[in-house]
Amino acid sequence: MTIPDQGLPLSRRETWKTLLAHRTAITPLTLASLFADDPFRADHMNASGAGLFFDYSKNRITKGTLELLLALARECHLPDRIEQMFSGEKINPTENRAVLHVALRSSRDDVFRVDGTNVVPEVHAVLDRMFVFARKIRSGDWRGQTGLPIRNVINIGIGGSDLGPVMAYEALRHYSRRDMNFRFVSNIDPTDFHEATRDLDPAETLFIVSSKTFTTLETMTNAQTARKWLQNALGAGAVEKHFVAVSTNTDAVRAFGINPENMFGFWDWVGGRYSMDSAIGLSTLLAVGEEHFQSLLEGFREMDHHFRLTPLEKNLPVLHGLLCVWEGTFLGSATRGVFPYDQYLKRFPAYLQQLTMESNGKHTSLDGTRVDYETGPVFWGEPGTNGQHSFYQLIHQGTRIIPSDLIGFLHPLHPTGPHHDILIANLFAQSEALAFGRTEADLQKQGVPPALIPHRICEGNRPTNVLLAEQLTPHTLGTLIAFYEHSVFTQGILWNIDSFDQWGVELGKILAQKILPELTGDPEPPLEHDSSTNALIKRYREARLSGS
Ligand SMILES: O=P(O)(O)OC[C@H]1O[C@H](O)[C@H](O)[C@@H](O)[C@@H]1O
C-alpha cells in the first residue's frame, strides 16, 4: 500500500491554523454585511465551465477565505493529486487500486494507463458491444424465449449498481423510450421484486444483473428469485434470452448461468459509486439510446477536462469542494442539502448520498491515524419546490445552519404556462431569503403585531450555492455528476482520506451473515451477542414460529 507523503498532518499546518483564526475573525460578518460592503461580490464570486454556472457568492466567506482555502489546497498538492488520478496511479491505497472512472468517458484517441496498459481500447470495446446490444433490444431484433420482443427491462443491483441507473433513468425520462418499462430492484425486501414484476409478462422481460463483485447478497438473492420467476413461466432454458450481466466477475456470472457473451464487463479501477457511466449504465443506454448515451459521456468528459485543466481559483469542482470543507470542517455544518429545482432530478440527492457519504464518511487519514477534524457531511435533499413546503422551515429558522446547493435549469423541458418561471422564481427567492432573512425592522414596517415579530424573524446568513445550466439534457447530467465526483475528490484530498474505499460497510454485512442462521436454526443456536441483539433475535424467532 503506497501512501502519498502529505508532510505535516493537516491540522498542524500553518494555513490550517490561519484558517481557524480567520474563521474567528469573520464570524461577526454576515452575508448581509458582506454584500453591503461589496456591491460587486456576485460578479467575482462565480465561475463557469462545461456549461454550468456556479454562483458561490452567498457563502460565509471573504476573498481572503478563498485565498486561504486555495493555499491549503496547494499545500495538499491538489493539482498533483488530480494528475495522479488521471494518470492511473493507485490513489486508493487501502485497496491498492487506481481510480480511473474518467477513462470510462474517454474519447477513442485518449490514453489512460493502468499498470502501463492503455485501458481506453477496452473501455470502447465494451461500449461498442453495449451499443450493438442496445440496438438489438430497442429495434426488437432481440427476441425472448417465445419470440416476443423485449418491452420490460429490470435492473437488479444495489448501491452503485442501482442508484446511478435509477437516478439517470429518472433524470433522462424525457429522452427515454416511452413504449418500454424500466424498473429497478435493489432491496432484499421481497416487496421490491414483487412490485417490479407483478404486472409484467416474463416473455417480454429482460433482467440486467448488475454487480461489480457478483457476490452482493441482495443482488444475488434477487437475481435467483428473478430466475425462478422467469423459469416458472418459460422453462429452464429461458435464461439465455432474458438475462444479461454487468460485472467484473466472469466466473461468478458463468456459475449463475448467464452466458459470458451476454456479460458486459468493467474493471476494478471503477468504484461502484463511480460506475454509472460504465456498463452499469446499460439500462440507461437501453432507455435513451446510443446518441443520448454518447452525449451523457461527453458531458462527463467536458467536466473532466475542466477539472484537469482549469486553474484552481476558477475550477468549479475545486471551488465547490473547498466550500464544502470550509462549511463542514471549519464552520461546523454537519449536513449539506441538495435541492434540484427539477422534478426529473428527484433521485439525484439519493445518488449523491452514496457518492459523497460513502466516499468521504471516513475517520482515518491516509497515514492511518484518526483525523482530529470533521470530514464528510451528511448529504440529503429533495426536489424544489416540494421541500419548501416541508423541511425548509428548519433551514430558514432552525438553530442549525444547513448549507445547500440549489440546482436549476434556464429552459424547461415542458414549457407550460407560468410553471417554469414560478419554479425558478422560487429557487432564486430561497437563495435570497436564506442569505438575507427578514429583520425586526422589516416586520415592524409591515405592521406585524409585536408579539409575533420574534416568531417571524428570519435571521438569514444561511449559505447557498446556486448552480445553473441551460437545460436538463444527457450532456448536462454528465457534467453535473462529474462536477460532484470531482468535488468529492477535492474534499477527500484536503481531508487526507481515502475517498475510494468503503470499509465501513463491511462489519454490518458480516454480522448479518452470522445472525441469519440464528433466526432460523433449529434447535436455537446459542446466542452470544449483547443483551439487546440477543433479545431482538429471540423476539423474531418467536414471531416466526408462531406465524408458521
Ligand atoms: O456492485 P456490487 O459489487 O454488487 O456492490 C454494490 C454496492 O455494495 C457495497 O456494499 C458497497 O458499499 C457499494 O459501494 C457497492 O456499490
Side-chain angles (χ1 to χ4, degrees):
M1 170 166 134
T2 329
I3 295 165
D5 180 15
Q6 293 298 301
L8 268 183
L10 196 50
S11 55
R12 291 197 6 230
R13 286 178 186 282
E14 275 315 305
T15 309
W16 182 274
K17 293 181 194 158
T18 313
L19 271 161
L20 287 177
H22 173 78
R23 175 191 65 189
T24 310
I26 72 161
T27 301
L29 304 178
T30 62
L31 286 171
S33 72
L34 289 165
F35 270 84
D37 291 349
D38 176 6
F40 301 107
R41 182 177 166 91
D43 296 342
H44 53 81
M45 288 199 176
N46 72 71
S48 303
L52 292 186
F53 173 76
F54 179 42
D55 175 355
Y56 56 91
S57 61
K58 295 194 191 86
N59 277 280
R60 300 182 288 174
I61 54 169
T62 64
K63 239 174 117 207
T65 321
L66 258 191
E67 281 161 11
L68 284 170
L69 289 167
L70 287 162
L72 188 64
R74 288 192 188 95
E75 280 178 34
C76 296
H77 311 290
L78 179 60
D80 295 343
R81 302 301 301 280
I82 294 172
E83 246 349 270
Q84 285 176 351
M85 172 169 74
F86 280 88
S87 314
E89 286 190 34
K90 300 205 166 145
I91 61 165
N92 171 0
T94 72
E95 295 181 324
N96 195 27
R97 284 180 182 164
V99 174
L100 214 49
H101 42 275
V102 292
L104 298 171
R105 51 266 194 163
S106 56
S107 49
R108 280 183 200 275
D109 50 359
D110 282 336
V111 175
F112 288 105
R113 289 187 199 282
V114 176
D115 292 329
T117 304
N118 180 14
V119 297
V120 173
E122 292 174 63
V123 167
H124 280 275
V126 174
L127 278 173
D128 289 342
R129 284 185 55 234
M130 286 166 62
F131 294 145
V132 170
F133 178 70
R135 267 178 243 138
K136 282 192 201 155
I137 294 284
R138 287 167 60 88
S139 66
D141 282 356
W142 180 286
R143 299 278 160 159
Q145 177 78 355
T146 66
L148 289 174
I150 298 297
R151 286 188 50 234
N152 315 311
V153 175
I154 301 185
N155 185 78
I156 298 179
I158 198 164
S161 300
D162 168 67
L163 287 161
V166 179
M167 178 276 289
Y169 172 65
E170 292 295 343
L172 301 179
R173 238 171 209 264
H174 179 66
Y175 304 88
S176 75
R177 278 283 289 266
R178 301 299 187 141
D179 57 345
M180 293 175 73
N181 293 307
F182 292 88
R183 296 188 183 165
F184 302 85
V185 174
S186 54
N187 203 325
I188 190 66
D189 181 346
T191 297
D192 209 10
F193 181 80
H194 174 77
E195 287 296 332
T197 51
R198 56 179 286 282
D199 55 347
L200 300 186
D201 178 357
E204 299 177 317
T205 301
L206 175 80
F207 289 99
I208 305 174
V209 185
S210 297
S211 174
K212 180 174 170 182
T213 54
F214 229 71
T215 57
T216 306
L217 183 63
E218 292 89 334
T219 301
M220 297 328 296
T221 310
N222 276 321
Q224 281 152 14
T225 301
R227 190 174 55 191
K228 220 176 276 166
W229 178 81
L230 182 88
Q231 289 177 329
N232 284 346
L234 303 177
V239 170
E240 172 90 18
K241 290 288 172 196
H242 294 267
F243 268 79
V244 297
V246 177
S247 187
T248 58
N249 187 347
T250 316
D251 292 344
V253 168
R254 193 183 290 111
F256 181 85
I258 297 176
N259 183 345
E261 277 176 26
N262 296 333
M263 166 181 164
F264 301 90
F266 60 116
W267 306 270
D268 74 354
W269 40 263
V270 183
R273 53 195 176 273
Y274 297 87
S275 67
M276 60 150 293
D277 49 337
S278 70
I280 291 290
L282 186 61
S283 58
T284 316
L285 168 63
L286 293 178
V288 302
E290 184 174 334
E291 205 178 309
H292 289 313
F293 195 81
Q294 289 279 23
S295 146
L296 175 77
L297 297 180
E298 279 161 23
F300 272 101
R301 188 154 73 232
E302 207 178 324
M303 184 54 80
D304 294 344
H305 287 167
H306 171 90
F307 181 56
R308 191 177 190 181
L309 303 173
T310 311
L312 299 188
E313 60 279 7
K314 285 279 164 208
N315 191 312
L316 272 73
V318 169
L319 290 167
H320 185 264
L322 295 180
L323 292 167
C324 288
V325 171
W326 173 243
E327 266 300 335
T329 303
F330 290 95
L331 300 184
S333 303
T335 85
R336 172 166 291 271
V338 54
F339 309 129
Y341 277 67
D342 191 296
Q343 189 59 19
Y344 282 126
L345 287 184
K346 66 179 182 191
R347 297 288 289 168
F348 195 55
Y351 173 77
L352 285 187
Q353 282 185 327
Q354 188 196 14
L355 179 66
T356 61
M357 290 161 71
E358 203 170 56
S359 295
N360 284 339
K362 313 277 165 73
H363 58 47
T364 306
S365 64
L366 287 173
D367 62 10
T369 57
R370 198 187 195 288
V371 298
D372 56 0
Y373 40 83
E374 301 291 350
T375 60
V378 174
F379 256 75
W380 61 281
E382 278 288 319
T385 58
N386 295 12
Q388 292 175 202
H389 299 272
S390 63
F391 53 78
Y392 273 42
Q393 163 64 35
L394 184 146
I395 310 180
H396 284 286
Q397 283 191 317
T399 52
R400 300 165 203 278
I401 298 286
I402 315 240
S404 327
D405 293 350
L406 308 179
I407 302 169
F409 299 95
L410 299 177
H411 303 291
L413 287 170
H414 303 289
T416 310
H419 285 252
H420 191 256
D421 296 337
I422 298 173
L423 178 73
I424 297 302
N426 271 276
L427 187 165
F428 296 163
Q430 290 301 324
S431 168
E432 185 178 8
L434 287 165
F436 304 110
R438 182 166 58 186
T439 63
E440 190 175 355
D442 295 337
L443 291 160
Q444 278 165 349
K445 230 183 278 166
Q446 291 165 21
V448 171
L452 266 187
I453 286 181
H455 298 280
R456 294 185 59 179
I457 284 175
C458 292
E459 291 172 346
N461 209 27
R462 268 76 173 152
T464 55
N465 291 314
V466 174
L467 272 167
L468 294 177
E470 287 290 314
Q471 193 167 43
L472 179 55
T473 60
H475 188 281
T476 312
L477 184 68
T479 54
L480 205 52
I481 299 166
F483 167 82
Y484 277 100
E485 285 177 349
H486 299 321
S487 168
V488 163
F489 176 90
T490 301
Q491 294 167 57
I493 295 301
L494 262 82
W495 287 320
N496 195 28
I497 55 180
D498 186 337
S499 299
F500 302 101
D501 61 14
Q502 55 284 314
W503 298 107
V505 302
E506 190 182 45
L507 176 60
K509 290 184 194 174
I510 295 169
L511 290 177
Q513 293 287 10
K514 181 172 186 316
I515 290 174
L516 181 59
E518 295 171 349
L519 297 180
T520 55
D522 188 18
E524 178 178 317
L527 299 178
E528 287 162 357
H529 305 269
D530 59 278
S531 60
S532 160
T533 310
N534 285 345
L536 291 167
I537 292 171
K538 278 180 186 297
R539 181 171 284 265
Y540 183 82
R541 283 185 63 91
E542 278 160 27
R544 204 170 176 274
L545 278 178
S546 63
S548 61

